[in-house]
Coordinates of all heavy atoms in Angstrom, one line a residue:
M1 N 0.8 -1.2 0.0 CA 0.0 0.0 0.0 C 0.9 1.2 0.0 O 1.8 1.3 0.8 CB -0.9 0.0 1.2 CG -1.9 1.1 1.2 SD -3.0 1.0 2.7 CE -3.9 -0.5 2.3
T2 N 0.6 2.2 -0.8 CA 1.4 3.4 -1.0 C 0.8 4.5 -0.1 O -0.4 4.8 -0.1 CB 1.4 3.9 -2.4 OG1 1.8 2.8 -3.3 CG2 2.4 5.0 -2.6
E3 N 1.7 5.1 0.6 CA 1.3 6.2 1.5 C 1.2 7.5 0.6 O 1.8 7.6 -0.4 CB 2.3 6.4 2.6 CG 2.2 5.2 3.6 CD 3.4 5.3 4.6 OE1 3.9 6.4 4.7 OE2 3.7 4.3 5.2
Q4 N 0.6 8.5 1.1 CA 0.5 9.8 0.4 C 1.4 10.8 1.1 O 1.1 11.3 2.1 CB -0.9 10.3 0.5 CG -1.9 9.4 -0.2 CD -3.3 9.9 -0.1 OE1 -3.6 10.8 0.6 NE2 -4.2 9.4 -0.9
P5 N 2.6 11.0 0.5 CA 3.5 11.9 1.1 C 3.0 13.3 1.1 O 2.4 13.8 0.2 CB 4.8 11.8 0.2 CG 4.3 11.2 -1.1 CD 3.1 10.4 -0.8
G6 N 3.2 14.0 2.2 CA 2.8 15.3 2.4 C 1.3 15.5 2.6 O 0.8 16.7 2.7
A7 N 0.5 14.4 2.7 CA -0.9 14.6 2.9 C -1.3 13.9 4.2 O -2.4 13.5 4.4 CB -1.7 13.9 1.8
V8 N -0.4 13.9 5.2 CA -0.7 13.2 6.4 C -1.0 14.2 7.5 O -0.3 15.1 7.7 CB 0.6 12.3 6.9 CG1 0.3 11.7 8.2 CG2 0.9 11.3 5.8
A9 N -2.2 13.9 8.1 CA -2.6 14.7 9.3 C -3.2 13.8 10.4 O -3.7 12.7 10.0 CB -3.6 15.7 8.9
C10 N -3.1 14.2 11.6 CA -3.6 13.4 12.7 C -5.1 13.2 12.5 O -5.8 14.2 12.3 CB -3.3 14.0 14.0 SG -3.9 13.2 15.4
S11 N -5.5 11.9 12.7 CA -7.0 11.7 12.5 C -7.8 12.1 13.7 O -9.0 12.1 13.6 CB -7.2 10.2 12.2 OG -6.8 9.4 13.4
V12 N -7.1 12.5 14.8 CA -7.8 12.9 16.0 C -7.8 14.4 16.1 O -8.9 15.0 16.2 CB -7.2 12.3 17.2 CG1 -7.9 12.8 18.5 CG2 -7.3 10.8 17.1
C13 N -6.7 15.0 16.0 CA -6.6 16.5 16.3 C -6.3 17.3 15.0 O -6.2 18.5 15.0 CB -5.6 16.8 17.3 SG -3.8 16.5 16.8
A14 N -6.1 16.5 13.8 CA -5.9 17.1 12.5 C -4.6 17.9 12.4 O -4.4 18.7 11.5 CB -7.1 18.0 12.2
A15 N -3.6 17.7 13.3 CA -2.3 18.3 13.2 C -1.6 17.8 12.0 O -1.6 16.6 11.8 CB -1.5 18.1 14.5
P16 N -1.0 18.6 11.1 CA -0.3 18.1 10.0 C 1.1 17.6 10.4 O 1.8 18.2 11.2 CB -0.1 19.4 9.1 CG -0.1 20.5 10.1 CD -1.0 20.1 11.2
R17 N 1.4 16.4 9.9 CA 2.7 15.8 10.2 C 3.9 16.6 9.7 O 5.0 16.6 10.3 CB 2.8 14.3 9.8 CG 4.0 13.6 10.4 CD 3.9 12.1 10.1 NE 4.2 11.8 8.7 CZ 4.8 10.6 8.3 NH1 5.0 9.7 9.2 NH2 5.0 10.4 7.0
D18 N 3.7 17.2 8.6 CA 4.8 18.0 8.0 C 5.3 19.1 8.9 O 6.4 19.6 8.8 CB 4.3 18.7 6.7 CG 4.2 17.7 5.6 OD1 4.6 16.5 5.8 OD2 3.7 18.0 4.5
A19 N 4.4 19.5 9.9 CA 4.8 20.6 10.8 C 5.6 20.1 11.9 O 6.2 20.9 12.7 CB 3.5 21.3 11.4
E20 N 5.7 18.8 12.1 CA 6.5 18.2 13.2 C 8.0 18.2 12.8 O 8.4 18.2 11.6 CB 6.1 16.8 13.4 CG 4.6 16.6 13.7 CD 4.3 16.9 15.2 OE1 5.2 17.4 15.9 OE2 3.2 16.7 15.6
S21 N 8.8 18.1 13.8 CA 10.2 17.9 13.6 C 10.4 16.4 13.1 O 9.6 15.6 13.3 CB 11.0 18.1 14.9 OG 10.7 17.0 15.8
P22 N 11.6 16.2 12.4 CA 11.8 14.8 11.9 C 11.7 13.7 13.0 O 11.2 12.7 12.8 CB 13.2 14.9 11.3 CG 13.4 16.3 10.9 CD 12.6 17.1 12.0
V23 N 12.2 14.1 14.2 CA 12.1 13.1 15.3 C 10.7 12.9 15.7 O 10.2 11.7 15.9 CB 12.9 13.6 16.5 CG1 12.7 12.7 17.7 CG2 14.4 13.7 16.1
Q24 N 9.9 13.9 15.8 CA 8.5 13.8 16.1 C 7.7 13.0 15.0 O 6.9 12.2 15.3 CB 7.9 15.2 16.3 CG 8.3 15.8 17.6 CD 7.6 15.1 18.8 OE1 6.4 14.9 18.9 NE2 8.4 14.7 19.8
A25 N 8.1 13.3 13.8 CA 7.4 12.6 12.7 C 7.5 11.1 12.7 O 6.6 10.4 12.4 CB 7.9 13.2 11.3
L26 N 8.7 10.7 13.2 CA 8.9 9.2 13.3 C 8.1 8.6 14.3 O 7.9 7.4 14.4 CB 10.4 9.0 13.6 CG 11.4 9.2 12.4 CD1 12.8 9.1 12.9 CD2 11.1 8.2 11.3
M27 N 7.6 9.4 15.3 CA 6.8 8.8 16.4 C 5.3 8.7 16.0 O 4.5 8.3 16.8 CB 7.0 9.7 17.6 CG 8.4 9.6 18.1 SD 8.7 10.9 19.4 CE 7.6 10.3 20.7
W28 N 4.9 9.2 14.9 CA 3.5 9.1 14.5 C 3.2 7.7 14.2 O 4.0 6.8 13.8 CB 3.3 9.9 13.2 CG 3.1 11.4 13.5 CD1 4.0 12.2 14.1 CD2 2.0 12.2 13.1 NE1 3.5 13.5 14.2 CE2 2.3 13.5 13.6 CE3 0.8 12.0 12.4 CZ2 1.4 14.6 13.3 CZ3 0.0 13.0 12.1 CH2 0.3 14.3 12.6
V29 N 1.9 7.4 14.5 CA 1.4 6.0 14.5 C 0.5 5.8 13.3 O -0.4 6.6 13.1 CB 0.7 5.6 15.8 CG1 0.1 4.2 15.7 CG2 1.6 5.7 17.0
R30 N 0.8 4.8 12.5 CA -0.1 4.5 11.3 C -1.1 3.4 11.7 O -0.7 2.4 12.2 CB 0.8 4.1 10.1 CG 0.0 3.9 8.9 CD 0.9 3.4 7.8 NE 0.2 2.4 7.0 CZ 0.5 2.1 5.7 NH1 1.4 2.8 5.1 NH2 -0.2 1.1 5.1
E31 N -2.3 3.7 11.3 CA -3.3 2.7 11.5 C -4.0 2.3 10.2 O -4.3 3.2 9.4 CB -4.4 3.2 12.5 CG -4.1 3.2 13.9 CD -5.4 3.6 14.7 OE1 -5.7 4.7 14.7 OE2 -6.0 2.7 15.2
D32 N -4.2 1.1 10.0 CA -5.0 0.7 8.8 C -6.4 0.2 9.3 O -6.5 -0.7 10.1 CB -4.3 -0.5 8.1 CG -3.2 0.0 7.2 OD1 -3.4 0.9 6.4 OD2 -2.1 -0.5 7.4
E33 N -7.4 0.9 8.8 CA -8.7 0.5 9.2 C -9.6 0.3 8.0 O -10.0 1.2 7.3 CB -9.3 1.7 10.0 CG -10.6 1.3 10.7 CD -11.0 2.3 11.7 OE1 -10.2 2.7 12.6 OE2 -12.1 2.8 11.6
R34 N -9.8 -1.0 7.7 CA -10.5 -1.5 6.5 C -10.0 -0.8 5.2 O -10.7 -0.3 4.4 CB -12.0 -1.1 6.6 CG -12.6 -1.8 7.8 CD -14.1 -1.7 7.7 NE -14.8 -2.2 9.0 CZ -15.2 -1.4 10.0 NH1 -15.0 -0.1 9.9 NH2 -15.7 -1.9 11.0
G35 N -8.6 -0.9 5.1 CA -8.0 -0.3 3.9 C -7.8 1.2 3.9 O -7.1 1.7 3.0
R36 N -8.3 1.8 4.9 CA -8.1 3.3 5.0 C -7.1 3.6 6.0 O -7.1 3.1 7.2 CB -9.4 4.0 5.4 CG -9.4 5.5 5.4 CD -10.8 6.1 5.4 NE -10.7 7.5 5.6 CZ -11.0 8.1 6.7 NH1 -11.5 7.4 7.7 NH2 -10.9 9.4 6.8
V37 N -6.1 4.4 5.6 CA -4.9 4.6 6.5 C -5.3 5.9 7.4 O -5.7 6.9 6.9 CB -3.7 4.9 5.7 CG1 -2.5 5.2 6.7 CG2 -3.3 3.6 4.9
R38 N -5.1 5.7 8.7 CA -5.2 6.9 9.6 C -3.9 7.1 10.3 O -3.1 6.1 10.5 CB -6.3 6.6 10.6 CG -7.7 6.3 10.0 CD -8.6 5.8 11.1 NE -8.9 6.8 12.1 CZ -9.1 6.5 13.4 NH1 -9.0 5.3 13.8 NH2 -9.3 7.5 14.2
W39 N -3.6 8.3 10.6 CA -2.4 8.6 11.4 C -2.8 9.3 12.7 O -3.7 10.0 12.8 CB -1.5 9.6 10.5 CG -0.8 8.9 9.4 CD1 -1.3 8.8 8.1 CD2 0.5 8.3 9.4 NE1 -0.4 8.1 7.4 CE2 0.7 7.8 8.1 CE3 1.5 8.2 10.4 CZ2 1.9 7.2 7.8 CZ3 2.6 7.5 10.0 CH2 2.8 7.1 8.7
L40 N -1.9 8.9 13.7 CA -2.1 9.6 15.0 C -0.8 10.3 15.3 O 0.3 9.7 15.2 CB -2.4 8.5 16.1 CG -3.8 7.9 16.0 CD1 -3.9 6.8 17.0 CD2 -4.9 9.0 16.2
C41 N -0.9 11.5 15.8 CA 0.3 12.2 16.3 C 0.7 11.6 17.6 O -0.1 10.9 18.2 CB 0.0 13.7 16.4 SG -1.1 14.1 17.7
P42 N 2.0 11.8 18.0 CA 2.5 11.2 19.2 C 1.6 11.5 20.5 O 1.4 10.6 21.3 CB 3.9 11.7 19.4 CG 4.3 12.1 18.0 CD 3.0 12.5 17.3
R43 N 1.1 12.7 20.5 CA 0.2 13.1 21.7 C -1.1 12.3 21.7 O -1.5 11.7 22.7 CB 0.0 14.6 21.6 CG 1.2 15.4 21.9 CD 1.0 16.9 21.5 NE 0.8 17.1 20.1 CZ 1.8 17.2 19.2 NH1 3.1 17.1 19.6 NH2 1.6 17.3 17.9
C44 N -1.7 12.2 20.5 CA -3.0 11.5 20.5 C -2.7 10.0 20.6 O -3.5 9.2 21.2 CB -3.7 11.8 19.2 SG -4.3 13.5 19.1
A45 N -1.6 9.5 20.0 CA -1.3 8.1 20.1 C -1.1 7.6 21.5 O -1.6 6.5 21.9 CB 0.0 7.8 19.3
R46 N -0.5 8.5 22.3 CA -0.3 8.2 23.7 C -1.7 8.1 24.4 O -1.9 7.2 25.2 CB 0.5 9.2 24.4 CG 1.1 8.8 25.7 CD 2.1 9.9 26.2 NE 3.2 10.1 25.2 CZ 3.6 11.3 24.8 NH1 3.1 12.4 25.4 NH2 4.5 11.4 23.9
T47 N -2.6 9.0 24.1 CA -3.9 8.9 24.7 C -4.7 7.7 24.3 O -5.4 7.1 25.1 CB -4.7 10.2 24.2 OG1 -3.9 11.3 24.6 CG2 -6.0 10.3 24.9
H48 N -4.5 7.3 23.0 CA -5.3 6.2 22.5 C -4.5 4.9 22.4 O -4.9 4.0 21.7 CB -5.8 6.5 21.1 CG -6.8 7.7 21.2 ND1 -8.1 7.6 21.5 CD2 -6.5 9.0 21.0 CE1 -8.7 8.8 21.4 NE2 -7.7 9.7 21.1
V49 N -3.4 4.8 23.2 CA -2.5 3.6 23.0 C -3.2 2.3 23.2 O -3.0 1.3 22.5 CB -1.3 3.8 23.8 CG1 -1.6 3.8 25.3 CG2 -0.2 2.8 23.5
R50 N -4.0 2.2 24.2 CA -4.7 0.9 24.5 C -5.6 0.5 23.3 O -5.6 -0.6 22.9 CB -5.5 1.0 25.8 CG -4.6 1.1 27.0 CD -5.4 0.8 28.3 NE -4.6 0.9 29.4 CZ -4.3 2.0 30.1 NH1 -4.8 3.1 29.7 NH2 -3.5 2.0 31.1
D51 N -6.3 1.5 22.8 CA -7.2 1.2 21.7 C -6.4 0.7 20.5 O -6.8 -0.2 19.8 CB -8.0 2.5 21.3 CG -9.2 2.2 20.5 OD1 -9.8 1.1 20.6 OD2 -9.5 3.1 19.6
I52 N -5.2 1.4 20.2 CA -4.4 1.0 19.1 C -3.8 -0.4 19.3 O -3.9 -1.2 18.4 CB -3.2 2.0 19.0 CG1 -3.8 3.4 18.6 CG2 -2.2 1.5 17.9 CD1 -2.8 4.5 18.7
E53 N -3.4 -0.7 20.4 CA -2.8 -2.0 20.7 C -3.8 -3.1 20.5 O -3.4 -4.2 20.0 CB -2.2 -2.1 22.1 CG -0.9 -1.3 22.2 CD -0.4 -1.2 23.6 OE1 -1.1 -1.7 24.5 OE2 0.7 -0.8 23.9
A54 N -5.0 -2.8 20.8 CA -6.0 -3.9 20.6 C -6.3 -4.2 19.2 O -6.7 -5.3 18.8 CB -7.3 -3.4 21.3
K55 N -6.1 -3.2 18.3 CA -6.5 -3.3 16.9 C -5.3 -3.6 15.9 O -5.5 -4.1 14.8 CB -7.3 -2.1 16.4 CG -8.6 -2.0 17.0 CD -9.4 -0.8 16.4 CE -8.7 0.5 16.6 NZ -9.5 1.6 16.2
L56 N -4.1 -3.2 16.4 CA -3.0 -3.2 15.5 C -2.5 -4.6 15.1 O -2.3 -5.4 16.0 CB -1.9 -2.4 16.1 CG -0.8 -1.8 15.2 CD1 -1.5 -0.8 14.3 CD2 0.3 -1.2 16.0
P57 N -2.4 -4.9 13.8 CA -1.9 -6.2 13.5 C -0.5 -6.4 14.0 O 0.3 -5.4 14.0 CB -1.9 -6.2 11.9 CG -2.9 -5.1 11.6 CD -2.8 -4.1 12.7
S58 N -0.1 -7.6 14.2 CA 1.2 -7.9 14.9 C 2.4 -7.5 14.0 O 3.5 -7.3 14.4 CB 1.3 -9.4 15.2 OG 1.1 -10.2 14.1
E59 N 2.1 -7.4 12.6 CA 3.2 -7.1 11.7 C 3.7 -5.7 11.9 O 4.8 -5.4 11.4 CB 2.8 -7.3 10.3 CG 1.7 -6.4 9.8 CD 0.8 -7.0 8.8 OE1 0.2 -8.0 9.2 OE2 0.6 -6.5 7.7
Y60 N 3.0 -4.9 12.6 CA 3.4 -3.5 12.8 C 4.2 -3.3 14.1 O 4.7 -2.2 14.4 CB 2.2 -2.5 12.8 CG 1.6 -2.4 11.5 CD1 0.4 -3.1 11.1 CD2 2.2 -1.6 10.5 CE1 -0.1 -3.0 9.9 CE2 1.7 -1.6 9.2 CZ 0.5 -2.2 8.9 OH 0.0 -2.1 7.7
W61 N 4.4 -4.4 14.9 CA 5.1 -4.2 16.1 C 6.6 -4.2 15.9 O 7.1 -4.8 15.0 CB 4.7 -5.3 17.1 CG 3.3 -5.2 17.6 CD1 2.2 -5.5 16.9 CD2 2.9 -4.7 18.8 NE1 1.1 -5.3 17.6 CE2 1.5 -4.8 18.8 CE3 3.6 -4.2 19.9 CZ2 0.7 -4.3 19.9 CZ3 2.8 -3.8 21.0 CH2 1.4 -3.9 21.0
Ligands
ZN1 ZN1 -3.3 14.3 17.2

């Protein structure tokens, strides 16, 4: 699956990943939900970490 470079924003707070520092950008979490890719910024990912862990396929660990 091909990602869309430059078109990534947090699915929770809508923060653009491009605005993050390179280090912060690496901490973003990618979720696949029925073929639709969602991204979570580090702040929202931390808030929703339990939900993510429950759904995330093991290949992403
Ligand atoms: Zn966010």
Side-chain angles (χ1 to χ4, degrees):
M1 186 178 293
T2 307
E3 295 169 17
Q4 298 179 347
V8 174
C10 177
S11 62
V12 176
C13 70
R17 192 170 70 153
D18 286 352
E20 304 276 9
S21 70
V23 173
Q24 285 289 309
L26 287 174
M27 294 172 64
W28 279 54
V29 176
R30 183 182 140 156
E31 282 187 284
D32 281 305
E33 192 168 306
R34 299 191 188 99
R36 184 165 173 252
V37 178
R38 301 170 66 216
W39 285 89
L40 289 175
C41 70
R43 291 167 293 277
C44 294
R46 198 172 303 134
T47 303
H48 296 276
V49 65
R50 287 194 182 87
D51 196 34
I52 293 166
E53 285 175 351
K55 289 188 297 188
L56 204 63
S58 57
E59 67 213 55
Y60 290 103
W61 292 76

